Amino acid sequence: MHFLDQAKIYVKSGGGGPGAVSFRREKYIEYGGPDGGNGGRGGDIILRAVPGLNTLIDFRYAQHFKADRGGHGMGKDRTGASAKDLVIDVPLGTQVLDEDRETVLIDFTEEGQRVVLLEGGMGGRGNASYKSSTNRAPRQHQPGVAGEEMWVWLRLKLLADVGLLGLPNAGKSTFINAVSNARAKVGDYAFTTLVPKLGVVRHKAREFVLADIPGLIEGAADGAGIGDRFLGHIERCRVLIHLIDINGADPAQAMQVVERELEAYGAGLEDKPRLVALNKVDLADAELAAAFSEELRQVGADKVFPISGATGAGIDELLDEVLGYLPEQTATETPGKAVLREDDEEPLDEKPWSPLD
């Protein structure tokens, strides 16, 4: 299963069925009169958040969704059958945007949440409904109200309690593998992570969901590297962990680069609490780790946690701090927070995929 977090789809609700023009014709009934029934109601377009989904890949292959039309009215005052509603299942955390990709129409944050996006058309009136004392043989009827239609964008923002970010090769994949049940790809080269990963962390009888996103580089807000497209997946996090490689050219500058990209992205990320972790301390001595920690505090870090994702050093202290930002009952058991496996990856295009391309 591939990972896809944006898709454009066309939806159309069902039109109402037309009313019937009919007259009662029975032996020995001299004055039968009109008996044309009303048309049935068209089907609604309903979106529903379901557990067990963590990608929008299904919408790459099915982009048009049309509800059925209501049934025709019939003689003997029979009303046409109402069409079934068309229910479209989306992952928890999906946002529905207007075609302009800016106006948020629906935000699915709860399991089982159902929203009627488009209502089906009303059925047309049959000629029996036009009968009156002055119009005893009406022949008019209504064709039924047409359904609504529109193009919408689906944008997935994974639900996680804690977000993991940093420059490429900061050790994020090793870290999430060490603390959770994720199986992220690890390699000695930049951008080993091409799509977000989720893992469930269990620490001191508590559980929370950790999200790892592809590494940021300077200019990500302008499209450099993989860009900042995946920052949306940590917008809902309560706290962010910023990993910094102690073997990098300048750890303090590395921290400032990511901070600038968060500020350029906006959406409240720059205001979220962040825990700075100086990673790979197993490859340096204690004196160097202390010096770099002081530099990071001088450029804005409140507290620095020296850790090693490879050996596990310092990780317990960092996770203890994370728990302080989470409620007593975290929502790890919320369905829909499945772990993205390594074979879920898909090469990223330079721009988000669109069915109109």
Side-chain angles (χ1 to χ4, degrees):
M1 180 175 63
H2 298 294
F3 179 81
L4 187 73
D5 63 352
Q6 296 186 52
K8 189 177 184 181
I9 63 173
Y10 170 82
V11 289
K12 182 178 182 180
S13 59
V21 176
S22 176
F23 294 90
R24 184 179 182 185
R25 305 291 187 186
E26 294 184 41
K27 193 175 183 180
Y28 307 120
I29 303 295
E30 183 177 2
Y31 301 106
D35 66 350
N38 300 329
R41 192 175 186 277
D44 296 338
I45 295 291
I46 299 176
L47 299 183
R48 176 178 62 188
V50 298
L53 295 179
N54 52 23
T55 175
L56 298 174
I57 189 63
D58 292 340
F59 298 101
R60 168 169 285 188
Y61 309 108
Q63 300 144 16
H64 293 78
F65 298 88
K66 299 179 181 179
D68 292 333
R69 186 181 184 183
H72 291 241
M74 294 174 285
K76 299 184 180 180
D77 291 314
R78 289 177 291 179
T79 300
S82 294
K84 291 184 178 180
D85 298 331
L86 178 58
V87 180
I88 304 173
D89 291 336
V90 298
L92 196 62
T94 299
Q95 289 183 327
V96 182
L97 291 80
D98 203 352
E99 194 171 2
D100 60 9
R101 301 183 67 176
E102 295 181 359
T103 305
V104 178
L105 304 176
I106 310 171
D107 192 0
F108 289 98
T109 58
E110 299 179 3
E111 177 194 345
Q113 183 179 351
R114 291 167 57 101
V115 178
V116 177
L117 179 61
L118 297 178
E119 292 186 352
M122 296 295 295
R125 294 169 59 187
N127 69 331
S129 66
Y130 289 96
K131 180 175 61 176
S132 68
S133 60
T134 58
N135 188 10
R136 298 190 177 186
R139 295 184 178 275
Q140 65 264 45
H141 72 290
Q142 288 181 330
V145 179
E148 302 174 305
E149 58 184 328
M150 66 186 307
W151 284 91
V152 295
W153 278 92
L154 302 180
R155 181 174 64 191
L156 176 61
K157 292 185 178 180
L158 297 174
L159 296 181
D161 303 300
V162 182
L164 189 62
L165 71 161
L167 293 180
N169 267 358
K172 301 188 300 300
S173 296
T174 300
F175 179 84
I176 194 173
N177 288 346
V179 301
S180 76
N181 59 350
R183 294 189 303 169
K185 182 179 180 179
V186 177
D188 189 19
Y189 56 90
F191 299 115
T192 54
T193 300
L194 297 177
V195 297
K197 296 285 189 302
L198 288 180
V200 178
V201 181
R202 296 175 176 85
H203 181 66
K204 292 188 175 179
R206 301 274 298 279
E207 291 185 353
F208 61 88
V209 175
L210 177 66
D212 175 25
I213 63 171
L216 299 172
I217 64 174
E218 189 168 9
D222 299 320
I226 295 181
D228 61 358
R229 168 184 171 185
F230 292 119
L231 282 176
H233 294 289
I234 61 173
E235 286 184 20
R236 306 179 194 268
C237 296
R238 300 176 184 273
V239 60
L240 305 178
I241 298 177
H242 184 178
L243 286 190
I244 299 175
D245 185 358
I246 195 173
N247 294 316
D250 188 342
Q253 183 182 6
M255 174 180 167
Q256 291 175 317
V257 166
V258 174
E259 292 290 333
R260 286 195 295 267
E261 296 306 319
L262 293 181
E263 185 175 356
Y265 179 82
L269 287 183
E270 70 277 11
D271 298 324
K272 286 187 178 293
R274 288 185 289 284
L275 304 178
V276 178
L278 190 60
N279 195 21
K280 305 181 184 180
V281 294
D282 58 303
L283 302 179
D285 55 39
E287 183 178 353
L288 183 61
F292 279 138
S293 296
E294 180 60 29
E295 286 187 18
L296 293 175
R297 284 190 288 268
Q298 290 177 359
V299 295
D302 295 330
K303 186 177 181 181
V304 179
F305 296 85
I307 68 167
S308 171
T311 65
I315 288 182
D316 285 343
E317 290 77 5
L318 175 60
L319 296 182
D320 288 344
E321 188 75 14
V322 168
L323 294 182
Y325 290 90
L326 304 180
E328 285 298 323
Q329 296 296 329
T330 54
T332 299
E333 287 80 16
T334 300
K337 294 183 177 179
V339 178
L340 294 178
R341 303 296 187 184
E342 175 59 31
D343 56 355
D344 292 343
E345 290 189 356
E346 179 183 50
L348 180 69
D349 298 326
E350 293 183 355
K351 62 179 182 178
W353 169 84
S354 168
L356 301 182
D357 290 343

